[in-house]
Amino acid sequence: MDLALDIGSWILLTLGGVSVLIGGIGALRMPDLYSRMHAASVTDSMGAILIILGVMLQAGLSLATIKLAAILLFLLFTSPTASNALASAALLAGNKPRAEVPDTPETSQ
Amino acid sequence: MIKRILLLAVLLVLAWLLWSGLYKPLLLGLGVFSCLLTLYVVRRMGYFDNEVFALRYNLRLVGFWGWLGREIVKSSIEVAQIVLRPSLKVEPKVVALGADDLEPLDQALLGNSITLTPGTLTLDVHEGRILVHSLTAAGADAVLEGEMKRRVSALRQG
Amino acid sequence: MYYVVTIATFLTMALALIRAILGPSVYDRVLAVNMFGTKTVLLLSVIAFLYGRPDFLDLALAYALINFIGVLAVLEFFRARVARREAENREGA
């Protein structure tokens, strides 16, 4: 049982490390601001989920797990808010995306 | 309203007790002070007057998170492939998703969920219109197709 | 096994720093700093277990709070500056 937990958390942590790294590479390689934000979003959501889940498996049922869950929830609530603030501030400042911005709302569905 | 104040107070006190783990008079006093201060500030923000943050869609929200988690995994893999491709050709696309039939809170939830999945990014939410920047044309079409929007509005029903 | 994650996080922080130095716009730098902050939170949570010191988790949470508020404050500052410049342009025209 312990071994299974260890293996599971090892896999999660490694995958988390890989996705964090991919996001970092993407943030460096991508050609413009908005594409970079997509890459950063890989580290912010995917990396954070995997790493914190991996550490949670190590912590087991304890106060540390609750704290880790709180950290993960907080990160998942705030990181889209921060990216949103960043994107809309950049858009307002005239930082144009490399695609045309539609004026009229298209109907969904 | 009284119920909501009491609920928040209990949550705050529990959070303080769990977090500090020290039960000295000074720290407990500081805890009482911060809980009361938080309640006062939150009340001044008008949190208790109207239902801003509904705790009531509890269980269905968990199901939504599960679905969102799967979406995050799927689109992370796609974005990772784009990032690691040597040629690095990206053709971003910006689309507008009409969402004025959703409540303001649900619009925020939808916008945040779109941002949280890699590959799509909410640029702006204004007057019921969500501007979405997508790394690929396929991602933009998936947003316009509106499965996420359907799931968000389904949270409200019942 | 924590070392893999720690090294990956450190590398990403270095990449984020390079992006912050390269810029080119102020928003790229804010993005890089925000990413750096999130990685710090993850790093602190991993270090808490690497060294067996759970109190690092409190630091991680505090850092997450500070990072979020800091990024929002910086963005608000730049937005106010853009708005003021636009208002001045309109007066001048």
Side-chain angles (χ1 to χ4, degrees):
Chain A
M1 191 58 205
D2 270 1
L3 189 69
L5 275 184
D6 267 353
I7 291 172
S9 87
W10 195 84
I11 292 172
L12 282 176
L13 284 174
T14 313
L15 285 178
V18 168
S19 52
V20 161
L21 198 55
I22 285 175
I25 294 169
L28 199 61
R29 281 190 72 199
M30 286 297 201
D32 68 329
L33 170 67
Y34 299 99
S35 321
R36 275 174 214 139
M37 292 182 68
H38 290 299
S41 148
V42 177
T43 60
D44 278 359
S45 41
M46 195 64 200
I49 292 174
L50 287 173
I51 290 182
I52 303 261
L53 279 184
V55 180
M56 264 163 109
L57 281 189
Q58 286 290 315
L61 277 178
S62 63
L63 193 58
T65 311
I66 299 174
K67 287 185 180 177
L68 282 168
I71 292 174
L72 181 59
L73 267 186
F74 187 79
L75 279 180
L76 289 185
F77 273 114
T78 56
S79 79
T81 313
S83 336
N84 209 330
L86 180 60
S88 65
L91 198 65
L92 264 183
N95 203 323
K96 293 271 181 300
R98 301 197 319 167
E100 45 189 300
V101 180
D103 275 338
T104 49
E106 293 176 38
T107 48
S108 60
Q109 285 169 9
Chain B
M1 177 166 165
I2 291 291
K3 217 174 102 189
R4 251 179 266 157
I5 294 178
L6 278 180
L7 181 65
L8 184 63
V10 169
L11 280 178
L12 286 174
V13 168
L14 270 182
W16 180 280
L17 290 180
L18 280 179
W19 233 269
S20 76
L22 294 170
Y23 303 105
K24 292 178 193 148
L26 174 67
L27 283 168
L28 286 180
L30 281 176
V32 170
F33 174 71
S34 3
C35 288
L36 288 178
L37 185 68
T38 312
L39 282 177
Y40 168 69
V41 170
V42 161
R43 194 198 155 112
R44 234 181 55 155
M45 284 164 63
Y47 173 82
F48 297 117
D49 302 334
N50 42 12
E51 194 134 14
V52 180
F53 177 45
L55 279 170
R56 62 193 162 81
Y57 32 85
N58 32 46
L59 272 181
R60 228 176 280 165
L61 199 56
V62 175
F64 177 70
W65 283 351
W67 177 79
L68 192 60
R70 282 200 298 281
E71 288 298 303
I72 290 175
V73 172
K74 265 191 274 175
S75 50
S76 290
I77 294 171
E78 277 167 31
V79 174
Q81 282 169 345
I82 293 173
V83 164
L84 294 181
R85 209 183 293 150
S87 68
L88 198 75
K89 250 184 76 185
V90 290
E91 283 166 13
K93 197 177 169 190
V94 181
V95 292
L97 176 68
D100 37 7
D101 46 331
L102 295 181
E103 306 269 328
L105 176 64
D106 291 354
Q107 287 181 18
L109 181 61
L110 179 58
N112 273 1
S113 307
I114 289 173
T115 309
L116 206 54
T117 42
T120 50
L121 171 73
T122 305
L123 288 180
D124 198 13
V125 182
H126 190 59
E127 288 172 354
R129 207 174 132 230
I130 302 180
L131 263 189
V132 181
H133 182 279
S134 170
L135 199 54
T136 58
D141 293 340
V143 168
L144 279 185
E145 195 269 320
E147 188 184 0
M148 188 179 278
K149 192 184 157 193
R150 269 198 300 283
R151 284 181 186 267
V152 167
S153 57
L155 287 176
R156 199 49 98 160
Q157 276 137 33
Chain C
M1 69 190 221
Y2 292 122
Y3 288 106
V4 182
V5 192
T6 315
I7 290 167
T9 321
F10 269 127
L11 276 177
T12 310
M13 287 162 91
L15 293 175
L17 270 188
I18 296 174
R19 178 41 75 197
I21 292 166
L22 286 180
S25 76
V26 125
Y27 300 99
D28 291 283
R29 295 180 215 273
V30 175
L31 174 70
V33 169
N34 186 22
M35 220 171 108
F36 192 87
T38 329
K39 298 299 92 60
T40 313
V41 175
L42 293 181
L43 190 64
L44 279 173
S45 342
V46 174
I47 282 181
F49 284 82
L50 182 60
Y51 293 129
R53 291 185 48 188
D55 39 336
F56 266 57
L57 290 179
D58 302 345
L59 297 185
L61 193 74
Y63 200 90
L65 287 161
I66 294 172
N67 182 41
F68 176 57
I69 301 291
V71 165
L72 283 193
V74 167
L75 286 174
E76 200 52 43
F77 172 71
F78 284 119
R79 196 146 74 174
R81 209 175 61 171
V82 168
R84 200 179 60 195
R85 196 181 302 148
E86 273 175 6
E88 277 171 5
N89 281 348
R90 226 174 291 134
E91 270 171 33

